[in-house]
């Protein structure tokens, strides 16, 4: 068992991001934000005097603030911004509870999602996403994560899951471009909308659209801001 892969209630093993990353963001981002705010306040007068510098208005306003209250206020704003970013990161942080009978995913305060252990054939990381796949090649879960591969591999190995180095069906994915005939009009429209969500870094919408595309019969993989697709395996019960 590796660091950040520890037993939890029952016979499950919890896999989470390294402690230095979890606690470092909580403490480090507010400090970094405060430092940036302090530096901005110190440099405001100098930048405001440069005719060619952009954002002259905000820098002139900062430079006009009474001191030292102005510098402290800007630094405090930076601290608050850092706390905000830290909270957003915490809300998107994934934890995975692995047991023989199920795999549970938790992300922030969202309701947990589960996959039955008996349905899982292989597990692997694919470009920063944890993927659980069944024996037919269908994806039971695809969750973006910062948990180290060694931590995840140890947790799944501990409970008898088969861990692979890569996607056995990775070669079947094709690059999607608008109006790709193979996906049909409806899925093409969903992929267009999802491309916009990815561009805006709206992870929630992108995840929901991935599920909609999956229900429509296609699996999606992201790579370098581009979407790749392959047909979802067909079953009698689908």
């Amino acid at each position: 068992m590796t660091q950040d892969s520890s037993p939890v209630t029952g016979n499950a093993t919890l896999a989470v991001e390294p402690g230095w990353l979890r606690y470092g963001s909580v403490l480090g981002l507010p400090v970094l934000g405060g430092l940036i705010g302090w530096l901005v306040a110190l440099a405001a007068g100098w930048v405001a005097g440069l005719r060619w510098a952009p954002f002259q208005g905000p820098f002139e306003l900062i430079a006009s603030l009474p001191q030292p209250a102005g510098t402290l206020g800007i630094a405090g704003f930076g601290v608050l911004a850092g706390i905000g970013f830290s909270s957003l990161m915490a809300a998107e942080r994934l934890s995975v509870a692995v047991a023989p009978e199920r795999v549970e995913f938790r992300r922030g305060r969202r309701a947990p999602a589960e996959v039955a252990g008996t349905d899982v054939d292989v597990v692997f990381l694919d470009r920063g996403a944890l993927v659980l796949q069944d024996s037919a090649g269908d994806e039971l879960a695809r969750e973006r994560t910062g948990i180290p591969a060694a931590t995840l591999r140890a947790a799944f190995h501990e409970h008898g899951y088969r861990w692979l180095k890569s996607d056995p069906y990775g070669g079947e994915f094709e690059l999607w471009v608008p109006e790709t005939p193979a996906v049909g009009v409806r899925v093409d429209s969903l992929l267009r909308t999802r491309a916009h969500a990815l561009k805006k870094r709206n992870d929630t919408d992108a995840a929901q659209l991935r599920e909609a595309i999956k229900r429509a019969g296609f699996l999606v993989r992201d790579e370098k801001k581009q979407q790749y697709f392959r047909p979802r395996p067909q079953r009698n019960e689908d």
Side-chain angles (χ1 to χ4, degrees), residues 25-26 29-30 77-91:
S25 63
V26 171
L29 288 179
F77 178 80
V79 171
L80 292 176
I83 292 173
F85 280 115
S86 176
S87 298
L88 289 174
M89 289 181 64

Side-chain angles (χ1 to χ4, degrees), residues 7-202:
V8 292
T9 56
N11 60 347
T13 299
L14 182 65
V16 297
E17 291 181 356
W20 65 265
L21 181 58
R22 287 180 283 127
Y23 300 117
S25 63
V26 171
L27 299 175
L29 288 179
V31 172
L32 179 61
L35 178 60
I36 292 174
W38 178 69
L39 291 174
V40 167
L42 288 182
W46 175 70
V47 175
L50 301 175
R51 294 183 178 180
W52 52 266
F55 307 111
Q56 286 287 305
F59 280 107
E60 289 174 355
L61 177 61
I62 294 172
S64 68
L65 295 174
Q67 297 300 328
T71 298
L72 293 175
I74 298 300
F77 178 80
V79 171
L80 292 176
I83 292 173
F85 280 115
S86 176
S87 298
L88 289 174
M89 289 181 64
E92 291 299 316
R93 189 163 284 131
L94 180 72
S95 64
V96 185
V98 185
E101 68 277 5
R102 51 108 180 142
V103 179
E104 181 182 271
F105 301 93
R106 289 182 178 270
R107 194 181 293 277
R109 296 183 178 180
R110 302 176 195 173
E114 287 190 2
V115 173
T118 53
D119 292 339
V120 180
D121 182 47
V122 296
V123 186
F124 53 90
L125 275 177
D126 184 29
R127 294 161 178 81
L130 175 64
V131 182
L132 276 60
Q133 205 172 78
D134 69 10
S135 58
D138 196 7
E139 291 183 359
L140 306 172
R142 177 179 281 267
E143 294 284 346
R144 177 180 47 81
T145 181
I147 303 173
T151 299
L152 289 166
R153 182 171 58 247
F156 281 97
H157 273 170
E158 183 176 349
H159 296 284
Y161 292 92
R162 191 156 61 106
W163 180 274
L164 300 182
K165 293 182 178 180
S166 60
D167 185 353
Y169 296 89
E172 297 183 11
F173 281 93
E174 300 178 40
L175 175 65
W176 171 80
V177 294
E179 300 183 4
T180 297
V183 299
V185 175
R186 177 168 176 258
V187 173
D188 186 73
S189 177
L190 290 170
L191 286 164
R192 285 173 183 265
T193 305
R194 188 170 184 273
H196 181 72
L198 291 173
K199 185 177 180 180
K200 296 294 184 180
R201 297 186 178 181
N202 190 331

